[in-house]
Amino acid sequence: MVEFTFLALLLMVPLVYFVITVAQIQGGSFAVVGAADQAAKVYVAQPDAGSAQAAAEQAVALALADFGHQGDRATLSTLCSPADCQAAGSTVTVTVSLSVPLPFMPFAEGLSATEVQASSTQLVGRYR
C-alpha cells in the first residue's frame, strides 16, 4: 500500500503539472488570436494614428485579461502597407506576442513556458 501511494504521487504530480501547463499554453494561444483580431478591427476604425494605437493597446489588454493573462507580458506591433495607416485601401497587420508563464511559479518571474504569437490583418475602409 505504501509503495503504491508513493509511486502514484511520484507519477501523478508531474503528469498533472504537465496537463496544467499545456492548458495554460492553449489558453494563451486563444488569447493572442482574439487580441490580435480585436486590435486590428479597432485600429482601422479610428480617425488618426495616435488614437488608433492607443485603442489597439487597450483592446489587447482587455482581450488578454478575459483569458486571465497579464497585459504587461504581451507585445503589440503594427505594420501598414502602404506606410499611411489611415488611408483608404491600406492594410493594417497587428501582431500580438505573449510570454506564457509557468503555472504555480510566482518566484520564477523570468521563466516562461513558451511565447505564443498571432497576427490579424484588416483593410482600412473608404467610409468609417
Side-chain angles (χ1 to χ4, degrees):
M1 182 72 144
V2 172
E3 291 88 5
F4 176 75
T5 305
F6 178 72
L7 284 176
L9 283 175
L10 187 66
L11 295 175
M12 290 301 290
V13 169
L15 181 65
V16 169
Y17 188 78
F18 175 73
V19 168
I20 292 171
T21 303
V22 169
Q24 189 87 349
I25 293 170
Q26 186 67 34
S29 297
F30 287 144
V32 295
V33 167
D37 186 45
Q38 292 304 314
K41 288 177 182 177
V42 167
Y43 194 96
V44 299
Q46 300 303 315
D48 60 14
S51 64
Q53 187 68 25
E57 289 172 0
Q58 187 178 14
V60 167
L62 185 62
L64 292 178
D66 284 346
F67 283 90
H69 292 282
Q70 299 172 353
D72 60 348
R73 297 186 73 94
T75 59
L76 169 74
S77 64
T78 57
L79 178 67
C80 301
S81 176
D84 183 15
C85 294
Q86 301 301 318
S90 64
T91 58
V92 177
T93 302
V94 175
T95 303
V96 178
S97 299
L98 175 68
S99 176
V100 179
L102 288 170
F104 309 120
M105 297 282 187
F107 54 85
E109 194 64 35
L111 293 177
S112 66
T114 188
E115 185 167 323
V116 291
Q117 180 178 346
S119 297
S120 180
T121 302
Q122 289 288 323
L123 186 65
V124 178
R126 181 176 297 173
Y127 306 106
R128 292 185 220 193

